[in-house]
């Protein structure tokens, strides 16, 4: 990854109660040119975040005082953090933990032990997309929806619908090939990538949330197989 050019370095807030993990992440992030701040728990993160104004938040799930799920939920309730890129870091593999994280507004979910190269690659992809949205194909207009892939926006009959990043990516990916059925594993690989620890249930959660916002009929469930974009 090419380091972000200072003084416009992307800001990363590391929230974890393990000082060794914080030190590891701070070292690797600063080496790549990121501006870094940290907090030892969720309560402190809510104090640091408004002053530091991070572009990216790396958030542990299990922490004292205020856990990561509650912290994420509080952050998403603040307008300035509505679109902040939030990645959960956790050693917990239980499905409920992952589903709760995405329900709270997480963008990604990475398992410990953390591999710095994989994490930096994930952040680099976010930075490239954030800096050069024109590198993404333009728009998809299908079945009453207009999906603006350069502006990460969705419109239905002229009304703008706001979707978090992963929900948008899921909808746009399915709509780009409307006649193809995608299994959960294929969707996970294409949208979340190989470096992120997520379960198949994650796809179901995101499909449900997209349906709540754009309507039930756009994404069709093919029982026992997966999902496709409905053109009917």
């Amino acid at each position: 990854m090419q380091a972000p050019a200072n003084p416009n370095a992307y800001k990363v807030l590391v929230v974890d109660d393990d000082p060794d993990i914080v030190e590891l992440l701070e070292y690797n992030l600063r080496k790549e040119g990121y501006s870094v701040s940290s907090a030892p728990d969720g309560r402190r993160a809510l104090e640091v975040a408004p002053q530091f104004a991070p572009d990216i938040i790396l958030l542990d799930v299990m922490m004292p005082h205020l856990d990561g799920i509650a912290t994420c939920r509080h952050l998403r309730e603040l307008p300035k953090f509505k679109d902040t890129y939030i990645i959960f870091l956790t050693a917990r593999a239980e499905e409920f933990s992952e589903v709760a994280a995405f329900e709270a507004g997480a963008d990604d979910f990475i398992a410990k032990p953390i591999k710095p190269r994989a994490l930096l690659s994930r952040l680099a992809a976010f930075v490239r997309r954030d800096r050069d949205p024109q590198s993404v194909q333009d728009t998809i207009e299908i079945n009453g929806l207009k999906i603006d892939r350069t502006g990460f926006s969705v419109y239905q009959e002229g009304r703008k619908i706001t979707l978090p990043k992963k929900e948008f990516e899921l909808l746009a990916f399915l709509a780009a090939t409307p006649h193809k059925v995608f299994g959960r594993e294929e969707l996970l690989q294409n949208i979340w990538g190989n470096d992120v620890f997520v379960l198949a249930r994650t796809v179901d959660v995101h499909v449900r949330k997209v349906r709540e916002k754009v309507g039930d009929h756009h994404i069709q469930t093919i029982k026992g197989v997966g999902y496709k974009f409905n053109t009917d």
Side-chain angles (χ1 to χ4, degrees):
M1 170 187 170
Q2 185 177 7
N6 286 318
N8 298 315
Y10 279 68
K11 296 180 179 181
V12 182
L13 175 61
V14 179
V15 187
D16 200 300
D17 62 332
D18 186 332
D20 292 334
I21 290 178
V22 172
E23 183 179 357
L24 171 70
L25 293 176
E26 285 183 332
Y27 171 77
N28 282 278
L29 289 166
R30 289 195 173 111
K31 190 170 67 172
E32 293 293 334
Y34 290 98
S35 176
V36 186
S37 185
S38 64
D41 56 64
R43 186 185 299 168
R44 179 62 181 148
L46 293 176
E47 296 173 354
V48 172
Q51 284 75 39
F52 184 58
D55 304 290
I56 301 165
I57 299 175
L58 305 180
L59 186 60
D60 188 27
V61 172
M62 297 301 294
M63 296 183 294
H65 306 305
L66 192 67
D67 66 34
I69 303 296
T71 302
C72 182
R73 192 174 294 115
H74 284 303
L75 288 167
R76 289 301 194 207
E77 289 172 354
L78 301 173
K80 70 185 301 181
F81 298 114
K82 182 174 67 70
D83 296 318
T84 301
Y85 196 56
I86 298 179
I87 301 178
F88 272 93
L89 309 174
T90 181
R92 301 191 66 177
E94 293 90 348
E95 184 176 353
F96 80 87
S97 193
E98 176 193 337
V99 172
F102 284 119
E103 290 278 11
D107 292 295
D108 273 334
F109 195 100
I110 298 182
K112 297 177 180 178
I114 297 163
K115 299 176 182 177
R117 282 189 180 182
L119 176 60
L120 290 171
S121 175
R122 203 72 185 166
L123 298 188
F126 164 75
V127 170
R128 284 194 303 271
R129 189 181 70 185
D130 190 57
R131 285 182 167 174
D132 186 21
Q134 297 302 319
S135 64
V136 183
Q137 292 180 359
D138 294 336
T139 61
I140 300 171
E141 294 191 47
I142 186 171
N143 201 11
L145 286 180
K146 179 180 179 181
I147 302 171
D148 179 1
R149 301 179 73 175
T150 60
F152 287 85
S153 301
V154 178
Y155 298 87
Q156 189 165 40
E157 307 299 334
R159 179 177 62 89
K160 185 175 182 179
I161 299 171
T162 301
L163 298 178
K165 294 180 182 69
K166 289 303 176 188
E167 292 174 29
F168 175 87
E169 290 172 0
L170 175 63
L171 178 64
F173 182 81
L174 290 170
T177 316
H179 301 293
K180 179 176 172 58
V181 179
F182 293 94
R184 291 172 178 80
E185 292 300 328
E186 190 173 2
L187 290 170
L188 286 173
Q189 183 175 352
N190 279 280
I191 296 167
W192 282 268
N194 294 321
D195 297 329
V196 182
F197 178 79
V198 289
L199 302 174
R201 170 67 174 152
T202 300
V203 175
D204 301 332
V205 171
H206 279 69
V207 166
R208 177 174 59 77
K209 295 180 82 170
V210 170
R211 284 171 169 164
E212 289 173 355
K213 294 166 185 172
V214 304
D216 293 341
H217 62 287
H218 292 294
I219 299 178
Q220 181 180 354
T221 301
I222 308 300
K223 191 172 181 180
V225 182
Y227 298 100
K228 64 174 287 189
F229 193 89
N230 187 15
T231 58
D232 298 332

